[in-house]
Amino acid sequence: MALPPIVVDLDGTLIYTDMLHETALRAVREDLANVFRIPFWLLQGKAVLKTKLARCARVDLQLLPYNTELIEWLKDKRLAGHRLVLCTASDHSIAQAIARRLNIFDEVIASDGRHNLSGISKAARLEQQFGQGNFDYAGNSAADLPVWERARHAIVVNASPLLTIEANNNVNVHKTFPRPRAGCRIWSKVVRIHQWLKNLLLFAPLVAAHDLTNGHAWASLVLAFLSFSLCASSVYITNDLLDIEHDRLHPLKRKRPLASGRVPIWQGVCAAPLLFILSLVFGYWAGWPFLQWLVVYFLLTCLYSLWLKRLMLVDCFTLALLYTLRIIAGAAAIGVTLTFWLLAFSIFLFLSLAFVKRYAEMEVQLLSGKKKIHGRGYLSSDAQLIQTLGIMVGCLSVLVLALYLNSDDIAHLYRSPEIVWIGVPTMLFWISWIWMQAHRGNMHEDPVIFAVKDRVSLVSGLIFAALLVLGSIGLP
C-alpha cells in the first residue's frame, strides 16, 4: 500500500520568511515607484499582486533562510517512500524555482495569478486532489488549521506557542518542529541596544566643558540620548531591510534576526518608522537646536545606507562624520560651543575606527576566499592599505591631543595640566592595541562596542579618565 503524500507549505515553514514580503521589499529596492504600484496591484487581488511582484523582483532564492531541520526530515521521508508536494500561496514561478533548487519535491501546487491558494481554498484543493484524510500536511500559521483538519496527520512547523497548543487540541499532530525562541532578547538585537553605547558621545561636550554639576544640562542630554538611540535603531532596521541579501552572504551578519527570518520582514517595516517618530518626540523635548542635528544625522545615515556605503573611502569618512555628529548634537542640546581641538581629535579618531571596522570585514571576506567585498567598493586585497591609512589617522588624532595639551587653552581648565600629558601615550597605546586586535582577527564587531567589552580598552579608558580628573583637581 502506497504511503500518503506529505504536503509542505512554503512561507514560514520550508523557509523562515514570507515570499510576499521578500518580493515586495526587493521590488521597492529595485524601483521606488513600486511603492505606488503595489496598492493598485493589491486592488486586483492578492494573487495578482504576488504574480506582479514575482515578475519585477529578482530575489536570490539561494540566500533564503531555509528550514534545514525540516528539509532533512523530508529527505528521509522521501527515501522511505512518501511523495512530497510543495503547496503554497506564493506565486507558481517562485514555488517552481525553489522546488527545482531543493530537488526533493515530486509536485508543486501554488497560486497562479487568479487564485490565491491559502487557508480554506488550499484545504479544498488538497481535499479534491488527494481526498480527506489521505495526506499529511506541514504548515505554520492559523491559516493552515482548515488544511490540518482535512489531513491525516498535522506537522506543525515554526508555529507560535498558542497555535501549537490549538493544533494539539483540535487536530491529529504527528510531529512538531518548534519555532526558534524570540522575545525581548531577539528584539534587542533588532534595534541593536548594544549600539546605543555609541550615543554616550553626546555627553562628551559636557565633560569637556567641566560642567558636570549642571542638572538642566544632564536632563537635556538624557532626552537627547533617548532620541538619538531610537533614531539610530530606526536606521539600523532600515539598513538591515535594505541590506538583507548582503547580510545573508556574510558569515556573521546572516545570523541577524531579519536576515535569518527569526523576525518577520513586516515587523521590521512597521518598527522602523515608529521608532523614528518616537525619536522626534524626544528630540523635540531636548530642544530645537538638537532636533536640527538629529534630522541631519538621520538624513546622512539614510544616504549612507542607500548609497554612500558602497563608495570606497567615502563610506569610512561618512562613518567618522556620523560619530562626530553625536558630539555636535550633544553640544547643541546644552548650548555649548565646540572647540576646534575636540572636533579635529574626534574626526581623526573616528576615521581610524571606521577604517578598523572596514579592515575587519575585509579580513573575514579574505579568509572565506572572496576577492570582492559584497555590497562595498573594496577588494580583499585593499586590506593592507586600509590598515595603513587607519593607523596613520589614528596617530594624527593623538598628535592633535598632544598639541591641545600644549596649548594655552589647557591652563584655564586644568590645575595640573602636566598630569594630563600622560594621556598622550595612553591614547597611543589604545589605538595601537585596537589595530593589533583587528590584525589578529579578534575584531568581530563595531570597534566602539568592542572597546566597551575589551578589558584592556576599559583599563585604558579608566586611566585616561583618572588623568583628566587628577589634572582638573590638581595634586596636593
Side-chain angles (χ1 to χ4, degrees):
M1 182 177 177
L3 293 172
I6 299 177
V7 183
V8 185
D9 183 33
L10 175 63
D11 301 316
T13 303
L14 190 67
I15 56 177
Y16 286 113
T17 185
D18 190 302
M19 288 311 302
L20 175 59
H21 304 152
E22 292 278 344
T23 52
L25 183 64
R26 182 70 184 185
V28 171
R29 281 183 55 195
E30 293 180 357
D31 186 357
L32 196 59
N34 285 326
V35 171
F36 306 101
R37 297 188 183 111
I38 287 175
F40 291 102
W41 293 340
L42 183 58
L43 288 174
Q44 302 173 54
K46 211 168 181 179
V48 174
L49 171 65
K50 292 176 180 179
T51 300
K52 295 282 189 181
L53 288 174
R55 289 175 181 173
C56 70
R58 297 169 295 174
V59 177
D60 192 339
L61 302 179
Q62 185 177 353
L63 300 179
L64 294 175
Y66 289 92
N67 190 335
T68 54
E69 184 183 0
L70 175 64
I71 291 172
E72 292 302 317
W73 182 80
L74 290 172
K75 287 179 180 179
D76 292 338
K77 289 297 180 181
R78 192 167 190 253
L79 289 174
H82 287 273
R83 192 161 173 264
L84 300 185
V85 179
L86 180 61
C87 185
T88 173
S90 290
D91 189 74
H92 197 270
S93 62
I94 292 176
Q96 286 281 12
I98 289 177
R100 284 195 299 269
R101 182 189 177 278
L102 295 178
N103 197 28
I104 60 173
F105 292 101
D106 302 291
E107 185 180 353
V108 174
I109 305 171
S111 299
D112 57 5
R114 297 187 305 273
H115 304 98
N116 184 44
L117 204 65
S118 177
I120 295 175
S121 61
K122 180 188 283 190
R125 172 67 184 275
L126 292 176
E127 185 180 15
Q128 179 185 7
Q129 182 161 342
F130 301 111
Q132 184 168 352
N134 292 331
F135 64 93
D136 297 340
Y137 180 74
N140 73 294
S141 70
D144 294 317
L145 281 170
V147 189
W148 282 329
E149 290 171 355
R150 305 183 194 193
R152 183 186 71 134
H153 288 150
I155 302 160
V156 182
V157 183
N158 193 34
S160 66
L162 288 177
L163 181 60
T164 302
I165 294 172
E166 186 176 357
N168 280 297
N169 291 336
N170 295 286
V171 298
N172 184 18
V173 176
H174 171 66
K175 187 172 178 61
T176 300
F177 291 86
R179 170 184 289 187
R181 288 187 177 183
C184 295
R185 186 174 181 181
I186 290 297
W187 271 99
S188 69
K189 293 181 179 180
V190 174
V191 300
R192 301 192 204 176
I193 285 184
H194 63 285
Q195 297 283 5
W196 290 10
L197 290 169
K198 298 177 185 177
N199 299 326
L200 292 175
L201 290 170
L202 290 160
F203 295 86
L206 185 64
V207 176
H210 292 231
D211 195 19
L212 298 179
T213 59
N214 190 333
H216 179 72
W218 278 103
S220 297
L221 286 174
V222 168
L223 289 172
F225 176 83
L226 291 172
S227 176
F228 236 85
S229 298
L230 293 173
C231 180
S233 293
S234 172
V235 174
Y236 288 140
I237 294 174
T238 304
N239 186 59
D240 285 350
L241 290 170
L242 295 175
D243 240 8
I244 197 165
E245 290 186 352
H246 295 161
D247 287 349
R248 287 170 179 167
L249 281 169
H250 196 277
L252 298 177
K253 293 180 181 180
R254 62 186 176 87
K255 297 178 181 178
R256 287 177 174 174
L258 287 167
S260 64
R262 295 184 70 181
V263 171
I265 286 175
W266 71 266
Q267 292 184 10
V269 171
C270 293
L274 178 61
L275 290 172
F276 180 62
I277 292 171
L278 287 173
S279 76
L280 291 178
V281 173
F282 282 108
Y284 175 78
W285 290 340
W288 175 246
F290 166 79
L291 186 59
Q292 290 177 301
W293 284 112
L294 177 72
V295 173
V296 171
Y297 170 83
F298 175 76
L299 293 176
L300 186 59
T301 49
C302 289
L303 196 59
Y304 173 80
S305 298
L306 293 171
W307 178 45
L308 296 179
K309 68 180 178 183
R310 295 175 176 83
L311 301 181
M312 180 179 61
L313 298 180
V314 175
D315 60 336
C316 292
F317 278 87
T318 305
L319 285 175
L321 182 56
L322 289 173
Y323 277 117
T324 307
L325 274 175
R326 291 172 166 89
I327 297 177
I328 296 173
I334 60 175
V336 171
T337 302
L338 289 177
T339 64
F340 162 80
W341 297 109
L342 182 57
L343 284 174
F345 172 75
S346 302
I347 285 290
F348 284 127
L349 176 62
F350 296 136
L351 182 56
S352 179
L353 296 181
F355 280 132
V356 167
K357 182 177 181 178
R358 200 60 74 230
Y359 172 78
E361 290 179 356
M362 291 181 183
E363 287 292 294
V364 172
Q365 299 292 342
L366 197 60
L367 290 174
S368 62
K370 295 181 180 178
K371 295 183 178 180
K372 193 174 189 312
I373 310 301
H374 192 74
R376 299 288 188 266
Y378 299 93
L379 302 175
S380 299
S381 56
D382 295 331
Q384 187 173 357
L385 178 59
I386 293 298
Q387 183 185 42
T388 303
L389 291 172
I391 295 172
M392 179 186 70
V393 294
C395 292
L396 283 176
S397 71
V398 179
L399 177 61
V400 170
L401 176 63
L403 291 174
Y404 165 69
L405 295 178
N406 194 46
S407 68
D408 295 334
D409 298 338
I410 196 74
H412 300 294
L413 295 173
Y414 298 94
R415 293 183 179 179
S416 303
E418 62 276 4
I419 297 176
V420 189
W421 294 345
I422 306 174
V424 173
T426 304
M427 181 62 67
L428 191 60
F429 167 80
W430 178 72
I431 290 174
S432 303
W433 172 264
I434 286 291
W435 273 104
M436 184 66 73
Q437 297 308 305
H439 178 71
R440 291 184 175 182
N442 298 329
M443 188 73 62
H444 303 304
E445 53 197 336
D446 188 285
V448 175
I449 305 302
F450 172 84
V452 175
K453 300 177 181 179
D454 178 52
R455 185 177 300 176
V456 173
S457 298
L458 289 174
V459 172
S460 300
L462 288 174
I463 292 174
F464 190 80
L467 292 171
L468 293 178
V469 173
L470 284 175
S472 298
I473 62 177
L475 292 176

